[in-house]
Amino acid sequence: MQVFQTVAELQRHLLNISQLGKKIAGFIPTMGALHEGHLSLIRTSKVKSDITVCSIFVNPTQFNDKKDFEKYPIQIDKDLEMLLEAHCDVVFVPTVEEIYPKGTLERTTVELGFIGKTLDGEHRPGHFEGVLQVVKRLLDIVQPDLLFLGQKDYQQCMVLSKLVEHYQLPVKVEICDTLREKDGLAMSSRNARLNPEERAVSAKLSQALFYIRDHIKEQPVPELIEQQLKLLSAEELIQVEYLTIVNGKTLEPVDLYQENTSLTALIAAKVGQVRLIDNVIIH
Ligand code: PAF
């Protein structure tokens, strides 16, 4: 496994590899604090690509909350060990200056429309603009054939698919299933910040989503949401930002169950001070 900190070194290495013959490059962008979910993306990339590149960069421009950025877990040595064990080929660990040599203000021209305004777009103003900015830069640097993303960040997957479409980038977006802990909690770097009490109640988020998925045909949608919100609000440590069922392709809210529409249930909630998101595709 080779680790690079500069764009020039990374690109020289990738160029050397591609000169040896056409290789499929798979890319997994991360903010570090890696867990099994990230490793499963690495493993999928290892199966589908010749070269697997992973980046670790805590992107300051996608945090609308300064405290959230400051508290983002960092464990670079452990991350590198995990990547080595997962047989990742190349790791890119750039500095902020390396990613944003002209400063952090330049944004992409992608017009997200409704999918950028709703849910996390509404609750984390500027977040997706920052995600678009950093992933565009990373894709320009790495120029992968395949981009591996986790379904846990459902809206982010839609936003980044739009980025690829907007710039007609020659990269295929591969969305991989969410990995879960035994009690159903979606794996996330942020879980490391939960104290034992918070960790114990955090599984209630996915339980609400699974309940909704399993009972959506039996109860009117607003009633089902209301019932689950009530259960969650009974937990002192949980503060729900949104719990909703949307059209899985447009993110428009859905109030009436329709068998032939793609439907996804999504949640965002603070457990203590830690903001968690999760989703379940209903069909
Ligand atoms: O999902 C993440 O970890 C980040 O949003 C990403 C895609 C690495 C961009 O910083």
Side-chain angles (χ1 to χ4, degrees):
M1 182 173 89
Q2 295 202 261
V3 183
F4 299 98
Q5 283 172 326
T6 67
V7 174
E9 284 168 334
L10 172 75
Q11 287 189 323
R12 202 172 312 126
H13 180 73
L14 294 176
L15 188 67
N16 282 343
I17 292 174
S18 69
Q19 277 167 351
L20 299 173
K22 175 67 193 143
K23 295 267 191 289
I24 296 171
F27 178 47
I28 299 98
T30 81
M31 297 209 295
L34 303 182
H35 50 71
E36 261 312 301
H38 294 114
L39 296 184
S40 83
L41 299 182
I42 303 279
R43 287 188 203 111
T44 309
S45 171
K46 290 289 295 178
V47 173
K48 297 194 172 186
S49 332
D50 302 307
I51 303 291
T52 291
V53 182
C54 174
S55 65
I56 299 177
F57 178 66
V58 185
N59 174 35
T61 70
Q62 69 187 74
F63 287 84
N64 57 313
D65 177 354
K66 201 165 160 255
K67 275 199 210 124
D68 193 25
F69 173 57
E70 285 163 2
K71 287 194 186 142
Y72 203 82
I74 294 181
Q75 48 164 57
I76 188 73
D77 292 343
K78 188 169 169 211
D79 288 348
L80 292 176
E81 253 171 56
M82 290 164 85
L83 289 171
L84 185 67
E85 234 172 80
H87 303 289
C88 183
D89 301 296
V90 175
V91 188
F92 183 41
V93 193
T95 58
V96 172
E97 291 71 32
E98 204 63 32
I99 292 294
Y100 300 120
K102 293 188 201 146
T104 56
L105 293 179
E106 211 175 312
R107 294 289 188 267
T108 67
T109 53
V110 183
E111 256 306 320
L112 290 172
F114 185 71
I115 67 155
K117 291 193 182 80
T118 185
L119 305 171
D120 269 22
E122 183 185 339
H123 288 267
R124 301 185 71 189
H127 168 64
F128 287 127
E129 286 73 11
V131 171
L132 285 169
Q133 178 192 26
V134 74
V135 176
K136 172 68 167 61
R137 172 80 175 126
L138 289 167
L139 290 175
D140 286 346
I141 295 168
V142 178
Q143 302 198 6
D145 301 286
L146 303 172
L147 170 65
F148 294 92
L149 301 171
Q151 190 213 299
K152 194 200 65 113
D153 299 301
Y154 190 88
Q155 194 172 7
Q156 173 169 276
C157 291
M158 290 179 77
V159 163
L160 292 179
S161 298
K162 198 118 185 189
L163 171 81
V164 168
E165 189 189 302
H166 177 89
Y167 291 106
Q168 299 197 344
L169 302 175
V171 58
K172 184 165 179 266
V173 178
E174 299 263 354
I175 298 171
C176 305
D177 290 347
T178 304
L179 255 70
R180 297 184 179 279
E181 302 290 352
K182 280 204 184 84
D183 62 0
L185 173 66
M187 289 191 186
S188 161
S189 304
R190 291 167 189 269
N191 295 354
R193 288 180 49 209
L194 298 167
N195 69 30
E197 240 183 304
E198 292 161 353
R199 173 63 191 84
V201 295
S202 57
K204 305 247 176 219
L205 309 191
S206 58
Q207 281 161 14
L209 295 173
F210 290 128
Y211 188 93
I212 288 170
R213 180 196 62 192
D214 297 342
H215 294 82
I216 193 162
K217 290 186 189 165
E218 296 154 23
Q219 252 170 289
V221 167
E223 216 175 84
L224 192 55
I225 298 280
E226 211 36 58
Q227 176 206 47
Q228 292 307 305
L229 277 175
K230 212 166 164 191
L231 282 175
L232 290 166
S233 65
E235 293 294 338
E236 231 176 89
L237 290 170
I238 299 180
Q239 258 191 317
V240 178
E241 280 184 11
Y242 58 78
L243 172 63
T244 184
I245 299 172
V246 299
N247 178 311
K249 300 228 166 14
T250 63
L251 299 186
E252 293 283 352
V254 168
D255 276 342
L256 200 65
Y257 175 70
Q258 282 161 348
E259 198 139 21
N260 300 321
T261 307
S262 92
L263 296 177
T264 302
L266 297 108
I267 190 165
K270 274 202 167 156
V271 180
Q273 292 304 306
V274 186
R275 186 177 190 275
L276 300 177
I277 56 170
D278 195 2
N279 66 83
V280 165
I281 294 176
I282 296 169
H283 52 62

